[in-house]
Structures are given as structure tokens and as C-alpha cells.
Amino acid sequence: MQSFKGSCHCGAIHFSFEAEPIAKGIRCNCSFCAKRGVMVSLVPGDKFKIDAQEGALNSYQFGKKQTKHYFCAHCGIHTYSEATRWPGQYVVNLGCVEGVDTFALETTVFDGKHLI
Ligand SMILES: [Zn+2]
């Protein structure tokens, strides 16, 4: 297990978690993720800690509302999501995680376009 830290762009939202070293990223082709161009990873929720300034954490849902996409009310950056499809896990925006180079990761595609 490795410890990771992450934050939004302005720093109003910080988070940390423990997970296996991140070697792969997931890109989702659903209507929301495709527009954001985000790369994510699933991480265990039991050690996921969130430290957000009051009023900073907003969430967005669409469609069947099975996923809550959290973003910063100040800088607009999406930090992580919670999805009923993956109970007990967080879907983390790897672009927000310190020490992870999303441009160097191997990528897999999740077919959210047809599954969400
Ligand atoms: Zn922010």
C-alpha cells in the first residue's frame, strides 16, 4: 500500500488515501467524463479522508443519478466521485493526485456511455 495526497486547484479541497501503486488510469466515455477529459482510478473508501473548507464541496449528478461527482465550488475542479456501481470505493481524479503523471499512465477505457 502507498499513501497518496490530492487536492483541487485552489486548495479548498484536500484528500488522502492509501492504495496499491497507481500504474493505470481509467478513462470513461460517458457524456460527462468525455467533456472533462478526466482520468480516474478506483481507490478503497475505508482509508479515504476528505478535508474541505466549508462550502467548497459541491456535487453534480445526472441521468440515473447513480454517481455523485464532487467538485470545488471555488475553482471548479472535479476531485472524486462516489458511484453506486462501486460501493465502498472512490473514483478519484488522478489529475488531482500528487506524484501521479496522468500523461505517463497506461489507459483503459470504461464504457460508461453504455453502462451508466
Ligand atoms: Zn478549489
Side-chain angles (χ1 to χ4, degrees):
M1 285 288 195
Q2 194 179 331
S3 296
F4 294 93
K5 287 180 182 175
S7 64
C8 65
H9 191 261
C10 74
I13 299 170
H14 285 267
F15 60 88
S16 63
F17 60 90
E18 288 182 20
E20 297 301 325
I22 296 168
K24 281 185 182 179
I26 302 166
R27 294 197 72 193
C28 172
N29 63 6
C30 84
S31 59
F32 186 59
C33 291
K35 288 206 176 195
R36 292 179 298 150
V38 71
M39 187 180 284
V40 298
S41 184
L42 288 170
V43 307
D46 54 340
K47 286 182 180 163
F48 194 88
K49 293 193 180 110
I50 299 156
D51 178 17
Q53 287 175 15
E54 199 177 334
L57 205 54
N58 276 18
S59 68
Y60 175 70
Q61 291 184 289
F62 68 96
K64 295 175 195 162
K65 301 196 172 170
Q66 293 169 336
T67 306
K68 257 190 165 179
H69 299 282
Y70 291 93
F71 65 94
C72 176
H74 304 297
C75 66
I77 294 297
H78 160 255
T79 44
Y80 49 85
S81 306
E82 286 182 282
T84 55
R85 173 179 289 271
W86 297 291
Q89 297 185 85
Y90 280 80
V91 184
V92 175
N93 178 355
L94 292 178
C96 292
V97 179
E98 287 174 22
V100 175
D101 180 358
T102 55
F103 295 92
L105 291 180
E106 196 180 313
T107 304
T108 57
V109 174
F110 173 72
D111 190 15
K113 189 175 182 178
H114 297 102
L115 295 172
I116 295 178

